[in-house]
C-alpha cells in the first residue's frame, strides 16, 4: 500500500533573494558589498553547504549585527518539501515549493546507494510522447538554489550518495543554473561530492551538450529511445532540431579525450522500438562509442497509445545487444505506484 508522508503548510514564495545557490565567489562578493571582508563570504559558504543551516541565526560565528542585516535583506533559501509519498518498494516522492509553483523529486534507496532524482525545470518544453512532465508543458526554470535545495532539504538528505538529473525538465535547457548547481555539489567548498556520483540525463541539445562537457565532469546519459530518425521524431520532437547522429558523433569525438561514463537510456515500447531490427540498428549506430545501454520499463500514461514492452522482448533486446558487444542492462522499475517512476513526474495536477 502507498503510504502518505506528513504534509506541511505551504510557505509563501520568497520575496527576498536567496543565498542558497550562490557560489563561494558570489558570496565573497556579497560580503564585500556589505562592507565586510571577503572571508565572511567563506563563512557563509560553510554555513550554507557544510553545516547546512536553515536560518541566519544559526550562523553563530557571524556578528549579530550582520545576521540581522542578512535576515532583513535576504533569505537563506531552504524550503522543506510540502508533501511526500512512499511507495511499497521504499521509493519516496517529495513535492518541493519553487517560487509559487512546485516540482517533484524522487528518493530511491538501494542497498549500496541512495539516489535522488532531481528536477531542473517546472514542466518541460520537449514534449516527449511518453512523458508526463512533457504533457505538463513548460512553466519555468529552477535556479541553482532551488535545485540544490532538493538535496539539502530532503528528509533523507544526509543519507544521499548519488544524484541524477532525470526528474522534471530538460537540464540542458536550463544550462547555466544546472552547471552552477553542479559546481556547488562537486566543489570542495560546496557539498564536496565526487563527479562520479552525479549523472545528468538529456535528450541531447547541441551546443548546450558541448558546453556541459567543457564545463563539468559529471556523468552523462543520453535519452535515445529509437535508432531510427523518423521513429525517434515521433517519440521525441527534439529529434527534428537536434539529430541523433550529430549527437552520437559529438559523443564519440569527446570520448577520445574525456573518459567520463556515458550511458544510453532506452525506454522499451511494445512493438514500437523493441524488435530485432531495432537491436541491429542500435548496434550499428553505437559502434565506436564506449557505452552501456539501460533498457527501461515504460509506465503507461494517459493520452498516449504506447504500451510497455513484454519482459521477453526486453530480454531478447538485451541479449541481441550483448552478443554484438554492446553491454545492456534492464533497469528495475521503482516507485510506479506513487507515480515516481521514470517519465511519471508531473505537477500539472497540483
Ligand atoms: Fe522533458 Fe525529459 Fe520528459 Fe522529454 S522525457 S518531456 S525531455 S522531462
Amino acid at each position: 500500500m502507498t503510504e502518505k508522508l506528513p504534509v506541511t503548510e505551504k510557505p509563501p514564495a520568497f520575496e527576498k533573494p536567496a543565498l542558497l545557490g550562490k557560489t563561494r565567489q558570489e558570496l565573497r562578493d556579497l560580503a564585500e558589498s556589505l562592507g565586510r571582508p571577503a572571508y565572511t563570504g567563506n563563512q557563509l559558504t560553510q554555513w550554507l553547504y557544510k553545516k547546512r543551516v536553515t536560518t541566519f541565526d544559526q550562523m553563530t560565528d557571524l556578528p549579530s549585527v550582520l545576521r540581522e542585516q542578512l535576515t532583513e535583506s535576504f533569505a537563506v533559501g531552504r524550503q522543506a518539501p510540502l508533501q511526500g509519498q512512499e511507495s511499497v518498494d521504499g521509493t519516496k516522492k517529495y513535492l518541493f515549493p519553487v517560487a509559487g509553483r512546485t516540482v517533484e523529486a524522487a528518493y530511491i534507496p538501494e542497498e549500496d546507494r541512495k539516489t535522488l532524482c532531481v528536477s531542473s525545470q517546472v514542466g518541460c518544453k520537449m514534449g516527449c510522447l511518453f512523458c508526463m512532465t512533457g504533457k505538463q508543458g513548460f512553466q519555468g526554470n529552477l535556479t541553482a538554489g532551488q535545485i540544490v535545495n532538493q538535496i539539502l532539504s530532503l528528509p533523507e538528505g544526509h543519507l544521499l550518495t548519488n544524484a541524477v538529473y532525470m526528474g522534471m525538465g530538460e537540464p540542458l535547457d536550463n544550462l547555466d543554473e544546472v552547471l552552477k548547481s553542479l559546481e556547488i555539489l562537486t566543489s570542495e567548498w560546496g557539498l564536496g561530492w565526487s563527479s562520479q556520483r552525479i549523472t545528468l540525463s538529456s535528450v541531447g541539445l547541441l551546443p548546450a551538450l558541448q558546453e556541459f562537457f567543457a564545463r563539468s565532469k559529471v556523468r552523462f546519459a543520453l535519452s535515445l529511445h529509437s535508432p531510427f530518425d523518423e521513429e525517434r521524431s515521433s517519440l521525441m520532437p527534439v529529434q527534428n532540431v537536434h539529430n541523433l547522429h550529430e549527437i552520437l558523433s559529438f559523443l564519440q569525438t569527446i570520448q577520445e579525450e574525456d573518459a567520463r561514463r556515458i550511458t544510453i537510456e532506452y525506454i522499451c515500447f511494445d512493438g514500437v522500438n523493441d524488435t530485432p531490427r531495432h537491436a541491429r540498428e542500435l548496434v550499428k549506430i553505437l559502434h565506436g562509442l564506449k557505452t552501456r545501454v539501460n533498457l527501461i520499463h515504460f509506465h503507461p500514461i494517459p493520452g498516449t497509445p504506447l504500451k510497455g514492452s513484454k519482459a521477453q522482448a526486453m530480454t531478447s533486446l538485451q541479449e541481441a545487444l550483448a552478443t554484438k558487444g554492446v553491454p545492456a542492462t534492464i533497469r528495475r522499475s521503482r516507485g510506479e505506484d506513487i507515480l515516481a517512476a521514470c517519465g511519471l513526474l508531473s505537477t500539472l495536477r497540483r
Side-chain angles (χ1 to χ4, degrees), residues 189-208:
W189 51 257
L191 270 62
W193 283 21
S194 154
S195 300
Q196 301 192 359
R197 293 165 61 185
I198 304 170
T199 302
L200 180 143
S201 172
S202 168
V203 295
L205 306 180
L206 291 168

Side-chain angles (χ1 to χ4, degrees), residues 121 123-135 166-171 201-203 223 225 235-236 238 267 342-343 345:
Q121 295 182 313
C124 184
K125 296 177 202 160
M126 301 299 138
C128 301
L129 190 64
F130 47 83
C131 173
M132 286 288 279
T133 312
K135 300 231 172 292
M166 295 184 186
M168 294 170 61
E170 163 51 59
S201 172
S202 168
V203 295
S223 299
H225 312 320
L235 293 168
M236 307 167 70
V238 71
I267 304 178
C342 191
L345 297 182

Side-chain angles (χ1 to χ4, degrees), residues 82-99:
L82 300 171
Q83 188 179 310
Q85 268 181 291
E86 181 167 1
S87 159
V88 282
D89 66 17
T91 301
K92 293 179 184 174
K93 184 171 75 170
Y94 289 103
L95 186 71
F96 283 96
V98 286

Side-chain angles (χ1 to χ4, degrees), residues 114-261:
K114 315 279 180 241
T115 305
L116 188 68
C117 179
V118 298
S119 290
S120 57
Q121 295 182 313
V122 187
C124 184
K125 296 177 202 160
M126 301 299 138
C128 301
L129 190 64
F130 47 83
C131 173
M132 286 288 279
T133 312
K135 300 231 172 292
Q136 173 171 349
F138 175 71
Q139 283 89 43
N141 281 324
L142 265 59
T143 62
Q146 289 163 341
I147 296 171
V148 172
N149 178 61
Q150 294 167 59
I151 288 170
L152 293 183
S153 297
L154 186 82
E156 296 81 6
H158 57 291
L159 299 174
L160 285 177
T161 60
N162 292 68
V164 291
Y165 284 60
M166 295 184 186
M168 294 170 61
E170 163 51 59
L172 295 187
D173 188 42
N174 183 17
L175 186 66
D176 287 339
E177 294 301 313
V178 163
L179 286 174
K180 205 163 152 195
S181 70
L182 290 172
E183 184 184 349
I184 293 166
L185 294 188
T186 58
S187 294
E188 49 64 41
W189 51 257
L191 270 62
W193 283 21
S194 154
S195 300
Q196 301 192 359
R197 293 165 61 185
I198 304 170
T199 302
L200 180 143
S201 172
S202 168
V203 295
L205 306 180
L206 291 168
L209 182 60
Q210 288 151 325
E211 207 174 328
F212 160 74
F213 269 86
R215 290 174 55 192
S216 100
K217 296 258 172 286
V218 306
R219 291 176 165 176
F220 179 68
L222 176 67
S223 299
L224 198 147
H225 312 320
S226 172
F228 298 108
D229 285 356
E230 213 172 299
E231 194 174 84
R232 189 168 189 262
S233 301
S234 68
L235 293 168
M236 307 167 70
V238 71
Q239 166 73 10
N240 297 318
V241 186
H242 302 279
N243 184 278
L244 181 58
H245 296 279
E246 284 170 33
I247 296 161
L248 289 175
S249 150
F250 164 71
L251 292 177
Q252 272 174 11
T253 311
I254 201 82
Q255 269 192 337
E256 288 165 17
E257 61 205 43
D258 188 325
R260 83 182 78 180
R261 182 185 290 180

